[in-house]
Amino acid sequence: MKSFKSYFYALLVLTVISFSYVRTQQMDIYREIARSQQQIMTVYKYLLTEYIHELDVTELTTRIIDSMLSNFDPYTEYYQEKDLEDLSLKTEGEFSGVGLEIYMYEDQLTVVSPIEGSPASRSGIYTGDAIMNIDGEPTAGLELKDATSKIRGKAGTEVILTIKKPKTGEVQDYSIIRDVITIKDIPFYGMVNDDVGYLRITNFSVNTANETKDAIISLMQDGASNVIIDLRDNPGGLLSSSLDLLDLILPKNLELVSTKGRAGKSIKNYKTLNNALIPESINMAVLINGASASASEIVAGVLQDYDRAIVLGSQSFGKGLVQTVIGINQETALKITNSKYYIPSGRSLQKREFIDDDLIADSSTVADSLFQTKAGRSVVGGGGIAPDVIVKDEGSYPLAASILRSGAYFKFVQENNDQYASIDEVLADNELMTKFKVFIEENDISGYVDGQEDLKLAKEKLSKKDEKNLFINNAFSVIEKQIEKTQSAMFEDEKEIIQRMIHGEFAFYYNGYEGRYNLYLKDDMVVLKALEIFADESQYLSILSNTESTEVASVNN
């Protein structure tokens, strides 16, 4: 009995010592935080009270916070009220407004497209219409985000848009009652051929899983025995939405994702909750590229880990950090990274470097290594998802990109759509590219040539010193003529991709997203590669059981 008491007292003493040690550590941390806060507040106080100019307190506070957060990963952000509205739109998939996609072209607020079924579309506003005023206030000089904010508002309230029609020049006021607008995460789904269904997911919001469910059911009813999920250029969104989507594909009670915080401490584990909607007999492909991130990578990575789908395209972005939003007050919040995602194979999706090591108190991290899928295929962590089949475009298209940035495809369609009755007539026009070449020359649109900006700066600098030097002027003239030749050659070199972009813009004008996707899918190299693999069951199964390498094939556009 005595020995038991001795043991009990010894255990009690150890417990008290351990608790005291932990408590002391916590107190040390809080003392350090208090000292740091005092330093920051002292500097802040003297800036506001002693600086030569009176400072805007709100603006200074915002800039100090932004400067502080610039040392961290790009997903740790300070949100003001307008930023919180944008975050809500991305995650909730809806907003209150009139339902217009708008674009600022040459300082003119222009309608790209009214959302189908929205108050704007019911009011008779169309693609290409110019928005001259919002509630009587001219839009000239407005930033796009400010115009968007003015058009949006509480559901049930009125906004008056003054619209100028592009062809007739007619100007008219449209009184529109705002409503709740739901953003579609799946702008298009359909059958690519008799047995392959395709769906394009552009974002992960609360709507994604239900939209995907409806699309999959429709595709299976149409006879799809193979399904392509296109996640290219999808930046992610809600983790819960990606998990709900995986719940439609994988059997019940499978591990999906775990999150781990400081020192690898497990925070949460997620599993499938329901039986799969999609039967195992349906073969699947997931398409990704360098702009596929976060929730997109989770879907692609989990399906790859369970060998449930082949992944095609190019290496994904590598965003495997988890954020939580902490409210500071009613108008502001802090979105802060607090953990990492890990998928079933045990690998992290996150790129290795996302914060300066000097800021980290404990830098003893273990690098991700080689992992295996359920079938034993080797996969690598720590940098996004490597596709099973690499299909990447080796080309560079500076002119096509410049045309896109300038909005010229859109403007050309607006100026020339009255020449055609349908997309078929556009596709049959052999003079289309000649017209477009004249159009971009008249609008002074050119592609970037390496060294072009340096040449411009050098010319300006030397001209100031000796603008009458004939030798220098002639030398620049020779180089500029060579650039002009390069620009002309660019058009010929990029003719195919430029024509594809023009056709796509016309297809969107006549038939919306469905028209654009139906046109693009016909010559999409990644989709065509997926179709090739689906057509050969042995090749499909071979990829999913290949234990040598994840890089099975490479195709160039």
Side-chain angles (χ1 to χ4, degrees), residues 395-532:
S396 174
Y397 308 108
L399 180 57
S402 180
I403 296 169
L404 181 63
R405 284 193 300 271
S406 70
Y409 296 118
F410 177 80
K411 184 179 179 183
F412 180 77
V413 170
Q414 298 311 308
E415 292 184 4
N416 292 275
N417 60 64
D418 59 344
Q419 298 180 29
Y420 312 96
S422 67
I423 184 61
D424 291 331
E425 289 190 12
V426 176
L427 298 176
D429 184 2
N430 295 324
E431 298 299 315
L432 181 68
M433 293 304 289
T434 303
K435 296 175 188 175
F436 189 70
K437 187 175 183 181
V438 171
F439 172 81
I440 63 172
E441 287 171 352
E442 287 176 348
N443 285 272
D444 197 27
I445 298 167
S446 59
Y448 178 76
V449 176
D450 284 342
Q452 188 174 344
E453 193 63 29
D454 293 333
L455 176 70
K456 182 180 176 182
L457 292 173
K459 184 178 180 181
E460 289 176 357
K461 190 173 182 179
L462 291 173
S463 294
K464 287 177 182 178
K465 290 185 176 181
D466 192 358
E467 61 181 19
K468 296 180 179 180
N469 189 311
L470 291 177
F471 176 77
I472 292 176
N473 290 336
N474 286 337
F476 278 120
S477 178
V478 170
I479 298 171
E480 286 167 345
K481 285 179 181 177
Q482 185 58 43
I483 288 176
E484 287 177 14
K485 288 181 181 178
T486 304
Q487 295 287 0
S488 181
M490 248 186 224
F491 188 86
E492 294 304 316
D493 292 342
E494 300 179 32
K495 200 169 187 176
E496 188 176 331
I497 187 71
I498 292 171
Q499 181 173 275
R500 187 173 190 263
M501 298 293 284
I502 298 169
H503 285 165
E505 196 64 46
F506 270 110
F508 181 76
Y509 176 81
Y510 289 110
N511 302 309
Y513 283 112
E514 184 174 355
R516 177 180 282 169
Y517 279 105
N518 279 327
L519 182 77
Y520 281 165
L521 289 175
K522 291 176 183 176
D523 58 1
D524 186 315
M525 296 302 295
V526 189
V527 172
L528 292 177
K529 185 63 183 178
L531 295 179
E532 176 193 317

Side-chain angles (χ1 to χ4, degrees), residues 222-242:
D222 288 341
S225 57
N226 307 276
V227 171
I228 298 171
I229 298 178
D230 192 346
L231 299 178
R232 290 174 295 179
D233 300 311
N234 182 327
L238 293 177
L239 168 64
S240 58
S241 294
S242 67

Side-chain angles (χ1 to χ4, degrees), residues 301 305 342-348 371-374 379:
D305 278 359
Y342 291 83
I343 55 177
S345 61
R347 53 183 166 148
S348 165
F371 299 90
Q372 287 191 328
T373 70
K374 185 180 178 182
V379 285

